[in-house]
Amino acid sequence: MIVKTKKYQLETGKYIKLGLTNILKEQWWVALIAIAIACGYFWIPSWWWISMAILAYALYWLFWVIQFAGVTQMEQNKVIFEKMAYEIDSRQILMKLNTKQGMPIKWDMIKKAEMTKDAFVLTMSKAQFIHLPFKIFNTDNEKKFVETILKRKELIK
């Protein structure tokens, strides 16, 4: 069975939000480093420890915001934010711009998948993921079929 979805365009704001959420989940331990720096206050009491820890953490997040915002502005990445239809089967995900242009993504390229309340998020790397909202599926059976594929591939539990 092949699931053919409606056309969907990933908005840049959604991409940035999903990317930052992914970074927060993968690199939560960076907050521990900021806390460790702030704990220097107990060694030498000075507000500089706390302010520098906050500044370092804020700069870290600013770096990632700039990275994800930059991806949305680059010419070679414009295709990611165009309307695409998806064809999903047990072998691959085919991202189609039109009937002649498309890109296959094999399931082994997907590192993890997450099923949120309104979408599937398939993560390939820190900055590469596929967002498949449930509204693009034509029927509930298609959504359940994709969920079954993800469970079979052990990407979700």
Side-chain angles (χ1 to χ4, degrees):
M1 179 177 171
I2 296 177
V3 174
K4 294 183 180 184
T5 68
K6 300 173 190 168
K7 284 198 166 212
Y8 169 69
Q9 180 176 8
L10 179 62
E11 295 180 15
T12 57
K14 184 72 171 177
Y15 171 79
I16 294 169
K17 181 182 173 190
L18 287 169
L20 290 174
T21 303
N22 188 34
I23 292 297
L24 181 63
K25 288 178 184 176
E26 281 188 17
Q27 298 186 351
W28 56 269
W29 50 268
V30 174
L32 297 177
I33 295 171
I35 292 169
I37 293 170
C39 286
Y41 178 84
F42 299 116
W43 181 47
I44 300 172
S46 174
W47 63 274
W48 283 99
W49 289 104
I50 295 169
S51 61
M52 289 301 117
I54 292 169
L55 178 65
Y57 195 62
L59 288 174
Y60 174 79
W61 280 105
L62 181 62
F63 167 78
W64 282 110
V65 168
I66 291 169
Q67 293 295 313
F68 286 112
V71 165
T72 65
Q73 302 302 315
M74 293 174 60
E75 190 62 37
Q76 63 261 32
N77 293 330
K78 291 290 184 192
V79 71
I80 298 170
F81 303 104
E82 291 183 15
K83 275 195 169 229
M84 282 189 248
Y86 299 89
E87 289 185 9
I88 305 166
D89 61 27
S90 59
R91 295 174 295 131
Q92 67 186 6
I93 300 169
L94 183 61
M95 301 169 65
K96 294 177 68 171
L97 285 172
N98 54 43
T99 55
K100 295 180 182 177
Q101 292 179 308
M103 182 178 90
I105 296 176
K106 299 285 183 194
W107 283 109
D108 59 352
M109 293 174 67
I110 308 293
K111 289 184 180 176
K112 67 178 182 175
E114 182 182 358
M115 188 172 159
T116 64
K117 64 178 176 152
D118 63 342
F120 293 111
V121 180
L122 311 176
T123 306
M124 294 178 280
S125 70
K126 288 179 186 174
Q128 293 179 321
F129 45 85
I130 300 171
H131 181 255
L132 301 171
F134 295 152
K135 66 181 181 183
I136 67 170
F137 295 103
N138 296 312
T139 65
D140 278 343
N141 287 338
E142 289 181 346
K143 183 181 86 166
K144 288 176 184 174
F145 180 71
V146 172
E147 185 178 350
T148 303
I149 290 173
L150 294 173
K151 285 180 181 176
R152 225 179 269 149
K153 303 282 182 188
E154 297 179 357
L155 294 168
I156 60 173
K157 294 178 177 40

